[in-house]
Amino acid sequence: MSGFFIAVFFNRCFYQTLMSSNQFSLLRQRRFGPFFWTQFLGAFNDNVFKTALLTILTYDALSWTAMDVGLLNNLIPGLFILPFVLFSATAGQFAEKFEKSRLTRYVKVLEICIMAVAGFGWMTHNLWLLVAAIVGMGLHSTLFGPVKYAYLPQQLKAEELIGGNGVIEMGTFVGILLGEVLGAVLVVQKPWGLALVASATFGVAVLGWLASLRIPLTPASDPDLKISANPFAEMARNLRFSRGNRPVFLAMLGNSWFWFYGAILLAQFPLFAKAYLHGDHNVFVLLLTAFSLGIGIGSLSCERLSGRKIEIGLVPFGAIGLSIFAVDLYFAGSGYTNTTPVGIYGFVAQHGSLRILFDCVLIGLFGGFYVVPLFALIQTRCDRKHLSRTIAGMNILNALFMVAAALLAMLMLGAGLNIPQIFLATAILNALVAAYIFSLVPEFLMRFLAWLLIHTVYRVHSFGTEHLPRHGAAVLVCNHVSYLDALVIMAVSPRPIRFVMDHAIFTFPVLSWLFRAARAIPIAPAREDEQVLARAYDEIADALRDGDLVCIFPEGKLTRDGAIDAFRNGIARIVEQTPAPVIPMALRGLWGGLFSRSRHNPFERAFRGGPFSRLELAVGAPIAPEYATPALLQQKVGELRGDSK
């Protein structure tokens, strides 16, 4: 029953996202549509070709080679991504130096040539010619990757960038996965399967080139850049530059880990379908289709679930789901008892088959939740002047992680692990890596707690959030109603916030490490600790000079009766020391709840308002620092709150 509600919830999100015009209306515009179809067809074609080769080697290996099939299933994806390791840094330089529409067309011509060579390999049963084409298509994707993400900021408005990126990400994943499905279907069609694959991949390459002819002129971002003759030195420079921005670099590592995880799981699907599920190639296609459906819904639902802002709180949610459902896939695969060969209908009729398909869908869905916000974080927080080279650096890491995934999968197979055990080992590794990354960047966990709060216990509605600046410093002031105030504000803000909090709570055992990692600023009244107070003002000033958002509750304590207490003079000292716009905000609906200081019975407070009780955050227009007196700010916050507590 719980699975039914999950399916209904996410299908609703998918439908509502699809119906929203702010993202998908871009497809009708020349500045976006031709580029989208060019990149979609490229990702699609890569995977039609690669999956067709893996499928034919799995189900008709003796006609091609005497090598071990499990080895080839992990070696071929490794060869495909080898050019990413060797040439991503150079590709990033090309994307900065050359006009992007012309560079895209050259890459598409290269794809046509590679598919012509591959067609000859298909028709002559020349495995090593096809392997060479695999490396060639990897080179094609390597050259196009940095262009793809450097193009968007030049053609889209700032408010369109997140939606455009979301559609591109969806198109990339769906292209990859639909290509895998079509490649697996075409190649086994007797007797024309090989000819169908050869003609289809060549035709799709031509379609991609035709789409690229419509891409508008997109000038080079750094035409005077000198291309380094040493790709390895440039690779090291790219990674060093990326490491300078710690949140971006850790997000790059998290993104690369997703490709590691996916590379191991998807590489096992052909043999899993054949040797463990005893299915024909159609069962393998069904597994890919389930995964494709999940990742498509997950990727498109991110905008809806995040409130149309970058919500990195979805990343831990995605990581949890990736581990849970990979573990369940281990149990589902191990408990599958059928031993007779089956097609799709025979497989679906088997006990345990629906559980396997459900796990594949949910792994894909949570994968979308995990990777899409990570990519958006990288694009919005890195230096725009080095965007192409940052993306190239991430592609290098992705490639290294995927090579490592292929090697690890081969080692696990060589050590005697079966396919379900590989699923289990990958799930455990994912949990360990996710825990490590989130311990390094607690902002992910804080945002996850905030996101979880407003999507389970409460329904949060916000007003005036356009007043929150996308860039630059500002001081946020808000009434203080409950212990959850900071989480609610954090959930609504599109940017990280540094909260000023009572030093006694800041040093609370167990939670102290989280507050420190979240870069909260402890403060104390002068009568309690003048040194802590002075340090707090200095740290607030440093944060504002660095362009951060700083949130302070000027009442200095939680309200005991729901009314707004007098604002203290600390806010005046802050803006006098470091002038910055001051933005008044008001929380409504938290008073009387379990986490407020209401005098009602705690049991009563726990159920006040029932499940999904409504909260509101109203944001007012910025006030210039010279006018931001405590009295005026208290008046503005009171007006925003109104009669509601």
Side-chain angles (χ1 to χ4, degrees):
M1 183 62 71
S2 61
F4 171 77
F5 286 116
I6 290 172
V8 170
F9 173 69
F10 286 114
N11 276 326
R12 182 182 177 191
C13 289
F14 174 73
Y15 175 78
Q16 289 173 328
T17 303
L18 194 63
M19 291 300 102
S20 63
S21 61
N22 61 322
Q23 273 182 299
F24 292 93
S25 62
L26 291 170
L27 290 171
R28 298 192 295 270
Q29 301 177 33
R30 186 183 172 191
R31 61 197 171 105
F32 185 83
F35 188 82
F36 171 84
W37 291 114
T38 299
Q39 66 86 31
F40 174 85
L41 291 168
F44 176 77
N45 212 24
D46 283 346
N47 288 275
V48 170
F49 175 54
K50 183 173 62 175
T51 306
L53 183 55
L54 290 172
T55 303
I56 201 67
L57 291 178
T58 300
Y59 289 94
D60 193 19
L62 294 179
S63 299
W64 293 82
T65 181
M67 292 180 67
D68 179 70
V69 174
L71 177 67
L72 284 172
N73 279 341
N74 288 283
L75 178 63
I76 286 174
L79 290 174
F80 175 79
I81 53 92
L82 183 62
F84 285 88
V85 178
L86 299 178
F87 303 114
S88 281
T90 302
Q93 293 179 88
F94 286 167
E96 301 281 14
K97 183 175 179 63
F98 299 113
E99 193 274 318
K100 294 176 181 61
S101 65
R102 180 179 297 180
L103 182 58
T104 300
R105 287 191 279 274
Y106 287 156
V107 172
K108 292 291 111 180
V109 170
L110 174 64
E111 182 184 1
I112 292 172
C113 296
I114 293 168
M115 288 297 97
V117 172
F120 185 75
W122 285 117
M123 303 316 296
T124 59
H125 270 228
N126 189 323
L127 175 62
W128 299 111
L129 201 57
L130 293 173
V131 169
I134 282 285
V135 177
M137 288 303 287
L139 177 62
H140 154 267
S141 296
T142 300
L143 293 172
F144 186 62
V147 177
K148 178 166 66 173
Y149 294 103
Y151 173 88
L152 295 179
Q154 290 184 251
Q155 293 290 348
L156 300 185
K157 301 173 185 175
E159 62 271 20
E160 296 172 325
L161 196 54
I162 292 175
N165 278 323
V167 175
I168 288 289
E169 283 302 291
M170 177 275 296
T172 299
F173 283 115
V174 172
I176 288 171
L177 295 165
L178 289 181
E180 290 176 337
V181 171
L182 185 64
V185 168
L186 288 182
V187 76
V188 294
Q189 302 301 315
K190 303 292 184 180
W192 303 106
L194 301 184
L196 287 173
V197 172
S199 57
T201 51
F202 184 82
V204 171
V206 172
L207 286 176
W209 174 74
L210 290 173
S212 73
L213 297 178
R214 293 274 299 161
I215 296 174
L217 186 73
T218 310
S221 54
D222 190 0
D224 298 324
L225 178 69
K226 292 183 179 179
I227 303 295
S228 173
N230 186 338
F232 298 102
E234 184 62 24
M235 180 193 309
R237 276 194 293 272
N238 267 352
L239 294 178
R240 277 198 305 270
F241 177 81
S242 298
R243 286 187 66 183
N245 187 328
R246 192 165 181 266
V248 167
F249 186 68
L250 289 172
M252 290 166 63
L253 290 176
N255 184 286
S256 297
W257 172 255
F258 173 76
W259 289 102
F260 178 99
Y261 174 99
I264 289 184
L265 257 66
L266 291 179
Q268 313 318 312
F269 272 18
L271 201 56
F272 180 59
K274 181 181 179 183
Y276 289 87
L277 305 182
H278 302 283
D280 60 14
H281 76 283
N282 291 317
V283 174
F284 167 51
V285 171
L286 183 62
L287 296 180
L288 287 178
T289 302
F291 185 78
S292 304
L293 177 65
I295 205 163
I297 294 175
S299 297
L300 287 176
S301 296
C302 281
E303 188 188 36
R304 178 77 181 178
L305 292 174
S306 64
R308 293 183 171 84
K309 65 178 184 297
I310 297 171
E311 180 51 83
I312 62 174
L314 288 174
V315 178
F317 187 47
I320 291 168
L322 287 174
S323 283
I324 288 175
F325 291 102
V327 168
D328 196 68
L329 186 59
Y330 158 74
F331 287 111
S334 299
Y336 183 81
T337 57
N338 173 58
T339 57
T340 58
V342 291
I344 285 183
Y345 296 110
F347 168 68
V348 172
Q350 300 299 318
H351 176 73
S353 61
L354 295 182
R355 180 179 174 184
I356 291 171
L357 292 174
F358 184 74
D359 286 335
C360 291
V361 170
L362 269 292
I363 288 171
L365 184 134
F366 281 94
F369 294 163
Y370 178 89
V371 76
V372 171
L374 276 179
F375 216 114
L377 183 147
I378 293 166
Q379 290 181 301
T380 54
R381 295 199 193 177
C382 77
D383 185 345
R384 290 290 180 88
K385 295 179 181 177
H386 292 81
L387 179 57
S388 293
R389 280 170 279 182
T390 299
I391 298 299
M394 188 185 67
N395 286 343
I396 293 167
L397 290 174
N398 288 351
L400 291 173
F401 273 65
M402 291 173 73
V403 169
L407 293 174
L408 179 61
M410 288 188 282
L411 285 174
M412 288 192 287
L413 287 169
L417 271 67
N418 60 35
I419 301 298
Q421 288 170 340
I422 290 177
F423 294 154
L424 178 62
T426 306
I428 294 171
L429 276 175
N430 179 69
L432 294 174
V433 170
Y436 176 68
I437 291 176
F438 302 146
S439 70
L440 293 178
V441 189
E443 184 187 349
F444 285 103
L445 288 177
M446 296 291 288
R447 297 288 304 199
F448 173 56
L449 291 174
W451 181 85
L452 197 63
L453 177 76
I454 67 172
H455 284 83
T456 54
V457 181
Y458 298 109
R459 293 175 297 116
V460 177
H461 296 264
S462 56
F463 308 93
T465 53
E466 67 274 7
H467 296 308
L468 294 173
R470 301 292 172 177
H471 306 282
V475 181
L476 313 179
V477 298
C478 189
N479 57 321
H480 205 5
V481 188
S482 79
Y483 293 107
L484 298 179
D485 293 353
L487 284 177
V488 175
I489 295 168
M490 184 191 307
V492 171
S493 172
R495 291 173 55 192
I497 299 174
R498 299 194 63 181
F499 287 92
V500 180
M501 64 186 302
D502 184 88
H503 72 116
I505 299 175
F506 182 85
T507 56
F508 193 84
V510 180
L511 294 178
S512 178
W513 73 270
L514 187 60
F515 297 143
R516 292 178 190 278
R519 302 174 67 213
I521 301 171
I523 195 167
R527 66 180 182 275
E528 292 184 21
D529 196 324
E530 290 187 3
Q531 290 185 339
V532 171
L533 179 63
R535 280 199 304 269
Y537 283 123
D538 289 342
E539 198 168 347
I540 292 169
D542 290 340
L544 292 173
R545 281 192 288 267
D546 290 341
D548 293 338
L549 293 180
V550 176
C551 182
I552 187 169
F553 299 98
E555 296 165 274
K557 62 183 186 300
L558 289 179
T559 179
R560 291 184 177 275
D561 57 8
I564 299 176
D565 294 329
F567 279 19
R568 300 183 180 181
N569 289 325
I571 183 63
R573 179 173 170 180
I574 289 171
V575 295
E576 181 181 352
Q577 186 174 350
T578 313
V582 182
I583 301 174
M585 303 189 302
L587 284 164
R588 305 191 289 240
L590 278 166
W591 172 249
L594 180 63
F595 297 99
S596 69
R597 284 190 170 178
S598 170
R599 294 177 181 176
H600 290 109
N601 181 288
F603 182 81
E604 219 176 278
R605 285 188 284 141
F607 296 96
R608 179 184 178 273
F612 303 108
S613 56
R614 181 185 177 99
L615 305 182
E616 294 178 345
L617 177 68
V619 183
I623 298 172
E626 59 268 25
Y627 300 114
T629 64
L632 177 63
L633 291 172
Q634 182 177 348
Q635 176 190 334
K636 293 294 185 183
V637 171
E639 291 171 356
L640 288 168
R641 196 199 66 168
D643 295 330
S644 174
K645 295 183 181 181

